[in-house]
Structures are given as C-alpha cells and as structure tokens.
Amino acid sequence: MSTASRLPGIVTTDHVFQLPLDHAAPQGEQIEVYAREVVAPGREKDDLPWLLFLQGGPGGKAGRPLGRDGWLERALDDYRVLLLDQRGTGRSTPANRQSLARRGDARQQAEYLAHFRADSIVRDAELIRRRLLGEDRRWSVLGQSFGGFCTLTYLSIAPEGLKEAFITGGLAGLRSSAEDVYRAAYPRVVRKNEGHYARYPQDVEAVRRIAAHLAASPATLPGSGVLTVEAFQALGLLLGGGSGSGTLHYLLEEAWIEGAAGPELSDTFLAGVQAKLSFAEGPLYAVLHESIYGQRSVDRAGTEWSAERVRKEFPEFDAGAALESGAPVLFTGEMIYPWMFDTDPALRPLKETADLLAARTDWPDLYDPARLAANEVPVVAAVYHDDMYVDTADSLETARAVRGLRTWITNEWEHDGVRVSGGKVLDRLIAMARGEA
C-alpha cells in the first residue's frame, strides 16, 4: 500500500516491500524494506526515468526531504527519484540493540546481520526495480560514499538493471582489505588535522586542555555514554565534511564553564559531543563498518578490528604521548574501534555480536573484476581530491578497472559534495554522462 504527501516543491509516495532476508532462500524469512518516491509537482503521472539513490553509511537511512532542495533540485528536473532506506535502517525492518535482542544470542544476531551488506542491498534494489518498473525497464542509480560501493556491487552482479550510474565519493578499492583501507586512511586524517589546526591555531591548546582533563577523569555524556580521550578524538569524523572543521571549532569554543568547584566541561559541549558520537540513530554504521571491506579473496583472516590494529603503526595518534611531549592531540577519522562498544550505550549490547562479525572469514566477494572490466553501463564518478573517507588512489585504480568509467576529479568539494553543492555535483555528472561536459 502506498501513501502520497505534498511538501514544498515535491510530491512523495511511500512504498513498503516484503523481501527475503536471505536472497539465497527467497521463501524463507521476510523483512520490510521502505522507499520514498519523490517527483516534481504536476509530473506525478509523467513517464519519467527513475533514479535510485543509495545513501552513504553503512547503516544510514535515506535523507528525509523537506522540499525541493540539495541535489533533488537538479534530479527532479529529469527523474522520478527513489530514496531507499537500506535494509536495517530508517523505516525498513530495524536492526539495533532493541530489535536484535529478540533474535537470540550474539551468534544468532551476527548470522542475521551477515545479510546486511552491499550484495543484499543490491538484490533488494533489483526486486524493487522489477516490482515498480517491470522486468525489462532499467533505472539510473546515484551512489554516495558507501552507496557508491553498493553501485560497484550492482555493476558486478546485476548490471542488466542499470541504465546509467552516478557515483560520488564512493569508488572503493576492488581488492583493498580493511587493513589496506586504514593504512592509507590514517595519513589522510593527519593532513585533515594539520589543516584544521592551521585554520584554528587556538584549537591546539584547547584540544590539549580537554584531552588532559579527560585523561584524568572521563566525563559522562547526557545519554550516559562515557567520554574518554579516545572518544573525544573520534570527533575527527567531522573533518571529512566541507563544514566539519568549523563545526568542530565552534564545539570546542564552548567546552568550559565555571562551576562551583572550578572549571568543568559544559553541558552545552557535552550535549554537542553526544550528538556527534552516539550511534543510537545508526548502530549498523559501527557494527558493520569494517565488514563492508570483507571479501574471501582479500580478507582471509577476517577484518579483526583492522582500524585498531593499524592505529599502532601511527604513534602520532597516541594522545598520552602528545600530552607529554607538548605536541597537538590528533583527532581520528571514521574509524570504528572495539572500545566504542563499551562507551556507547547504543552499542554495548552488541559488543559480542560485533566481535563475531570481525572474526568472520567467509564473506562473499562484493565485486567481480572481470565483469567490471567488460562493463557496458555508462558510469561517471566524482572523485574528491583529498577525500578523508575514501582513498583517492584506490578510487582512480578502480576507475581504470571499470570499462568506460569516466571520472571528474575535483578539490572544490569535500566528501559530502553531492549534499552541500546544491545540485552542482550531480549536474556535472549528468552532463558528463550525456557527453555535454
């Protein structure tokens, strides 16, 4: 059953699909997958081409449009858009500490979540395409970040469903292990720290002061999470977005307040940190993060908390050593660490489940290099020159491995360019696909 709503500049229609949890057992357990159709007013009955949007993540629900804004401003000129809540997110059958508790012990939860990677998301999309468009009609896809990874999987296992593909900040290394990913990521994060401290030199001492305070006495966050030095460093996740450095700076500006016993971390600061660090709205981001790189042919020993292991190769991220030496305390990036399952209440019940997923060694391959080398689907991709989240060298190597893929390499935007550019990034990619740029 579908329901329609009108918002400024858009008409939306809800769709809910019953799909197999395990696509290898289509008659087995079913889950709900939700998607929101968006079209320009007056064009509801037009025979428009469809554009499927695959959100970044993993574990991120599709955006909730309030009107014709952002990249939708450009997309709705030409397309009927489908915003997919990937399985386990948003209004699709949820996967979080509350719902997973009903599935049994950690092993049963891990087996369930093994069906929530890109290959399952793509097979969901293919079933939805057939139900909405029919067997023979293809659609376009826009994949942002992890959504771009999913698009590469789509091109590997079901290219017959695609008319064209747009990828933004999401060309994954086809044969990069989780270790490879983080070994390349830490130096990029160092550069983002250097850029932040060059922009806001006063933050060097501000961060050192907060880190020293937390090293002596971790703070309790409003949601009862624990703010340790390592958790504070994880605010570096912000540094990969266009406005992230400024957001971090303004958060630090209000860190302290004069309390009855002297200076203490302010409620304003702690609430702001809580909003940035809690995984309550998207626990799958943490639980599945490293498994998005897991492939039998690459990670034969499992991902095994690669970000934590590789971090030891980069002592500059040791906050204690930085405090002793007088060096700047560096923030980390989008890395997920096992201690997060101790400090975040939304993740604590899933700690053993996450450990089992990290130890898994039989992840199916997500990409088919031979099929990508023979690709016939038009593919264009925005590659951000110094993307903190996705390695540029990996992206360009993958671009060369996908037949016919054209890249636009730019330093005008950061990783979130498609979201913040007001449609400019998508407009450029559409023009490239049509031979107009």
Side-chain angles (χ1 to χ4, degrees):
M1 181 178 179
S2 301
T3 57
S5 302
R6 290 184 175 270
L7 293 167
I10 60 174
V11 178
T12 69
T13 303
D14 297 337
H15 297 280
V16 178
F17 304 91
Q18 300 293 322
L19 301 177
L21 168 66
D22 181 356
H23 286 279
Q27 303 307 315
E29 180 179 352
Q30 304 290 296
I31 60 173
E32 285 190 348
V33 174
Y34 169 82
R36 178 178 279 109
E37 175 187 339
V38 186
V39 68
R43 306 196 72 184
E44 299 94 320
K45 298 185 183 302
D46 290 359
D47 185 23
L48 296 168
W50 286 75
L51 176 66
L52 169 69
F53 178 64
L54 295 175
Q55 172 70 29
K61 64 185 179 184
R64 271 39 185 169
L66 299 175
R68 185 166 172 160
D69 51 18
W71 61 268
L72 280 174
E73 175 67 37
R74 175 63 185 87
L76 294 179
D77 285 345
D78 297 350
Y79 298 96
R80 185 183 303 273
V81 173
L82 193 70
L83 303 174
L84 178 68
D85 278 358
Q86 297 164 16
R87 52 171 54 201
T89 75
R91 289 177 60 183
S92 297
T93 299
N96 54 37
R97 65 174 180 84
Q98 294 160 305
S99 63
L100 290 170
R102 301 196 302 269
R103 301 204 66 88
D105 62 18
R107 190 164 300 279
Q108 291 168 307
Q109 293 175 21
E111 286 301 317
Y112 177 75
L113 291 177
H115 299 294
F116 282 70
R117 298 199 312 152
D119 46 357
S120 296
I121 293 167
V122 166
R123 291 187 172 99
D124 289 345
E126 266 298 273
L127 287 179
I128 292 169
R129 178 186 66 84
R130 294 188 187 107
R131 295 182 191 179
L132 283 179
L133 282 68
E135 285 287 340
D136 299 328
R137 189 173 177 188
R138 298 180 296 167
W139 59 9
S140 304
V141 62
L142 168 60
Q144 157 64 12
S145 190
F146 172 68
F149 295 16
C150 294
T151 302
L152 289 170
T153 301
Y154 213 145
L155 292 164
S156 295
I157 67 177
E160 64 278 4
L162 297 179
K163 177 183 177 183
E164 60 190 351
F166 309 110
I167 297 173
T168 55
L171 286 180
L174 301 180
R175 286 294 176 261
S176 295
S177 68
E179 273 196 18
D180 296 333
V181 166
Y182 293 112
R183 194 165 283 119
Y186 279 110
R188 297 198 305 275
V189 178
V190 170
R191 292 197 296 274
K192 295 298 184 183
N193 274 272
E194 291 170 346
H196 176 79
Y197 285 135
R199 188 175 297 112
Y200 301 108
Q202 65 270 42
D203 283 2
V204 172
E205 193 50 45
V207 170
R208 286 178 51 81
R209 183 186 177 194
I210 295 169
H213 177 82
L214 294 173
S217 178
T220 301
L221 294 172
S224 70
V226 180
L227 183 61
T228 62
V229 175
E230 292 80 11
F232 173 56
Q233 289 176 278
L235 287 171
L237 178 68
L238 293 168
L239 296 178
S243 60
S245 179
T247 299
L248 177 59
H249 169 70
Y250 292 132
L251 184 61
L252 298 172
E253 274 190 336
E254 298 184 90
W256 297 98
I257 194 166
E258 196 66 32
E264 59 184 89
L265 293 175
S266 71
D267 286 348
T268 299
F269 172 74
L270 295 174
V273 170
Q274 164 76 11
K276 301 302 180 187
L277 295 185
S278 172
F279 288 100
E281 289 192 15
L284 289 185
Y285 185 92
V287 177
L288 292 177
H289 202 272
E290 292 196 357
S291 73
I292 68 174
Y293 304 108
Q295 301 187 82
R296 268 191 296 258
S297 62
V298 176
D299 274 311
R300 294 182 178 85
T303 56
E304 287 289 0
W305 298 113
S306 294
E308 175 79 0
R309 290 186 290 106
V310 173
R311 181 173 175 166
K312 296 179 176 64
E313 300 172 18
F314 297 91
E316 56 266 52
F317 287 95
D318 184 332
L323 289 171
E324 284 187 21
S325 68
V329 173
L330 298 187
F331 294 98
T332 52
E334 67 165 348
M335 295 76 173
I336 298 297
Y337 301 108
W339 54 258
M340 292 176 171
F341 292 80
D342 297 315
T343 59
D344 187 339
L347 298 181
R348 281 177 197 147
L350 303 176
K351 181 178 177 65
E352 186 180 352
T353 302
D355 282 336
L356 290 169
L357 290 168
R360 194 178 184 109
T361 60
D362 61 346
W363 292 117
D365 283 356
L366 295 167
Y367 312 117
D368 184 337
R371 201 163 190 183
L372 292 172
N375 172 62
E376 295 183 353
V377 177
V379 186
V380 289
V383 177
Y384 303 117
H385 178 67
D386 196 24
D387 193 325
M388 189 179 82
Y389 301 110
V390 179
D391 186 59
T392 303
D394 267 355
S395 293
L396 296 181
E397 183 176 347
T398 295
R400 290 188 291 269
V402 180
R403 181 175 178 266
L405 190 153
R406 299 179 62 202
T407 56
W408 169 41
I409 304 169
T410 177
N411 63 359
E412 185 175 357
W413 312 103
E414 292 279 356
H415 185 77
D416 55 356
V418 73
R419 180 175 61 83
V420 303
S421 67
K424 292 179 181 177
V425 168
L426 180 58
D427 183 64
R428 174 65 179 260
L429 294 182
I430 291 173
M432 289 174 64
R434 295 175 179 174
E436 298 169 0

